[in-house]
Amino acid sequence: MTRGPRPGQQRRARLRTHVRATRSDLSLRREADMMAFYLGLTLLVALNVTRDEAPPPLPELLLVIWGTTVGLAVAHWFALTLAAFLVRDPNMHHTPGEMLMSQVVMAGVLAIVASVAVVLVPVHMEVLTARVAVALFIGVLVTMEARSNGSALPRALAVGVAALGVAMILATIKLALK
């Protein structure tokens, strides 16, 4: 008797399909990248609120990271779903569920990068390391996208470094205006 795939295998296969769609479908990729940039900036601001000399306990810091990234991605999905329900757009190419997957996948990647960064360093360096990891994430994503659009490596790196710098400046300005 031949068995089909187990439920866990089916879920993993569906997740892989969604992740591949996020990277291969240009509009989903743009949505995922936009969410990554937005969440990265927001997470930088949230991390800038914390004082390096008195960082929160690790579980609290991880809650800030995951709540900011995945929490905001889900909130964005809710707003998108509500707006799509209220304003019908025949040109909308993707369902809110497809948008949710593309954005939550990127939010999860950002949260994992920041979480790994804080877990691997001493307590007094957690917040700084998280900020650096988030800024590098933005810079690396910009560099990768620039390369995938045909930019030469030096130009892609320059654009990535510029994006990293602008992200840090925007986060600092946003915090100063608070």
Side-chain angles (χ1 to χ4, degrees):
M1 181 165 143
T2 307
R3 291 176 155 162
R6 289 183 289 185
Q9 290 172 326
Q10 290 173 335
R11 281 191 296 273
R12 283 191 296 275
R14 280 195 308 268
L15 180 61
R16 274 193 300 275
T17 300
H18 286 297
V19 170
R20 284 188 190 117
T22 296
R23 298 319 298 162
S24 62
D25 182 298
L26 292 179
S27 63
L28 284 178
R29 188 161 122 195
R30 184 177 47 248
E31 282 294 323
D33 288 353
M34 179 271 312
M35 184 57 55
F37 300 140
Y38 170 70
L39 294 176
L41 288 171
T42 304
L43 184 53
L44 282 173
V45 171
L47 292 168
N48 280 342
V49 170
T50 306
R51 290 181 29 234
D52 290 340
E53 311 81 50
L58 182 60
E60 225 173 275
L61 185 56
L62 291 172
L63 185 61
V64 167
I65 291 168
W66 285 88
T68 300
T69 55
V70 176
L72 275 176
V74 171
H76 185 269
W77 166 79
F78 171 74
L80 173 73
T81 302
L82 188 58
F85 173 76
L86 295 172
V87 181
R88 302 256 185 237
D89 180 2
N91 295 321
M92 192 167 169
H93 301 293
H94 299 288
T95 66
E98 290 170 321
M99 300 290 273
L100 170 68
M101 282 307 298
S102 72
Q103 294 171 354
V104 168
V105 164
M106 195 59 89
V109 171
L110 176 59
I112 289 168
V113 166
S115 297
V116 167
V118 300
V119 168
L120 295 178
V121 298
V123 172
H124 69 280
M125 295 181 64
E126 287 173 342
V127 177
L128 173 63
T129 304
R131 282 190 212 110
V132 169
V134 171
L136 284 173
F137 176 85
I138 292 170
V140 167
L141 181 58
V142 168
T143 301
M144 287 172 47
E145 289 295 1
R147 287 288 292 154
S148 73
N149 284 325
S151 291
L153 183 58
R155 179 171 169 74
L157 286 171
V159 172
V161 168
L164 184 151
V166 169
M168 295 298 287
I169 291 168
L170 288 174
T172 303
I173 290 170
K174 184 168 180 167
L175 182 64
L177 295 175
K178 185 174 179 188

